[in-house]
Amino acid sequence: MSTWIRHAWIGPVKLTRLSDIRRKELRQAAFTVLEREGIAGATLEKVAAQAGASKGIVLHYFRNKQELFEHAMREANAVLCHAVVARLQRARTPMERLNAVIEGNFEEHLFLPPLCHAWLSLCAEVPRDEKLARIQKVIHARMRSNLMSGLRGLASPEQADEIVLGVTALIDGLWLRLGLQPGSVTREQAVRQVKDFVAGRLALRQAAPVGLASAG
Amino acid sequence: MSTWIRHAWIGPVKLTRLSDIRRKELRQAAFTVLEREGIAGATLEKVAAQAGASKGIVLHYFRNKQELFEHAMREANAVLCHAVVARLQRARTPMERLNAVIEGNFEEHLFLPPLCHAWLSLCAEVPRDEKLARIQKVIHARMRSNLMSGLRGLASPEQADEIVLGVTALIDGLWLRLGLQPGSVTREQAVRQVKDFVAGRLALRQAAPVGLASAG
DNA sequence: TCAACAATTGACCAATGGGACAATAAATCG
DNA sequence: CGATTTATTGTCCCATTGGTCAATTGTTGA
């Protein structure tokens, strides 16, 4: 976290203003600390140390601790988002778009326990932080939209809605599993699970909508 | 949290020793505080206040803060567990057992945002608390075992394994959704999702195992 | 009744954390 | 170059927190 980043391309946009660069460094440092320490142990001092700076500088760029972690969440989300969008752009058919979303959500260099740990800590604060809640809402809306872009060609609107809920929940659940028991689920397993889920739901499309499910 | 609880039946076991009762009160108070404040805001003083006692008493019954919240997690888990087991005992067929687990995991008076919030905060600490991790592990093992008791009669062992992973992830994901966006998922929707998931997977049992899923 | 024990409290303490601020160093720009 | 703005640091402050401890108040059982 020294200065190598100063004149580098970070993400899709070149950061010119020094302040922007510093802010990004600090957001990332905050996230890294979150990975290690969780929300309870993530202090301004640790973030500063992680960024190789003083505590004062953190509060120079962010009004307070809350704001810092809100930006950390936005940052992390942007990365995730980018992984999906990149794949989505190469997709041609509806099914390809669907798979793009699924695979993008389990990208190899992102589907990692520490990332999940930090994410989990942020999610746990959502109920008490209006801003975090709004970010979460946006994330879900984008996810839904991405999935819909593929599902519209494959299922009825009502069915698509149902499938979207299932897919998003399943993805989140698999991430959670990675965080709670690293090693109990691989990227390939996760992708397979979600794809099979969709396949199963689409297969049941014309079948009796109750089927086995209502046997109990 | 006064004294009405003193001579009451709490759960399946009557608590005789006063110390046991006090400990239970405090565990529950800790969980309640967790619901409101999250792990970062849950202090011993607040727990004490919630229980109508002094901070000293909390540390009289629990070695330290960590231990208190570990017990809070066990407590919450026991409640969840009880809901499932009760239904499981009334189930006769494999499918009934499966449905018992699914419905038990979304019991009406448990599938609530505050409960989820507290739970989420505890999960977020799992990576940094060996004891919490062990509790988590036990929970998952029991869940798997419960599901297996139904699935063994319905699918091959390998398939059952896969389905279990999917079902547990889906359940967790739906809970997470409840916590992050209360109101975006009802108990009925959740139950339906999981049941349909299982139905879809069982329907694909004999079909080509790849199917639509490998189109991308 | 009295001694041993458990429960409970409140005071106390050292450590830490978030945040304010003044002082200093750098950079930018006319 | 000189002045104004920006970056950065370290110090200071106050509130909070986890945890210890001695003292007090029941409870219980011989």
Side-chain angles (χ1 to χ4, degrees), chain A residues 56-76:
Chain A
I57 209 63
V58 179
L59 288 154
H60 176 67
Y61 285 103
F62 298 90
R63 245 186 294 284
N64 51 41
K65 194 184 173 184
Q66 239 193 345
E67 190 179 297
L68 171 63
F69 286 105
E70 283 158 8
H71 282 252
M73 191 182 209
R74 279 214 190 81
E75 170 86 9

Side-chain angles (χ1 to χ4, degrees), chain B residues 140-158:
Chain B
H140 254 110
R142 181 172 40 71
M143 178 84 137
R144 152 174 291 273
S145 150
N146 284 343
L147 284 171
M148 277 299 187
S149 88
L151 275 172
R152 246 188 294 278
L154 300 168
S156 71
E158 308 85 45

Side-chain angles (χ1 to χ4, degrees), chain B residues 43-44 55 59 64-65:
Chain B
T43 73
L44 292 179
K55 185 175 62 171
L59 289 153
N64 51 40
K65 194 183 174 185

Side-chain angles (χ1 to χ4, degrees), chain B residues 1 12 24 41 49 64 98 121 151 170 186:
Chain B
M1 287 294 160
K24 188 173 187 81
N64 51 40
L98 209 52
S121 282
L151 275 172
L170 188 52
T186 68

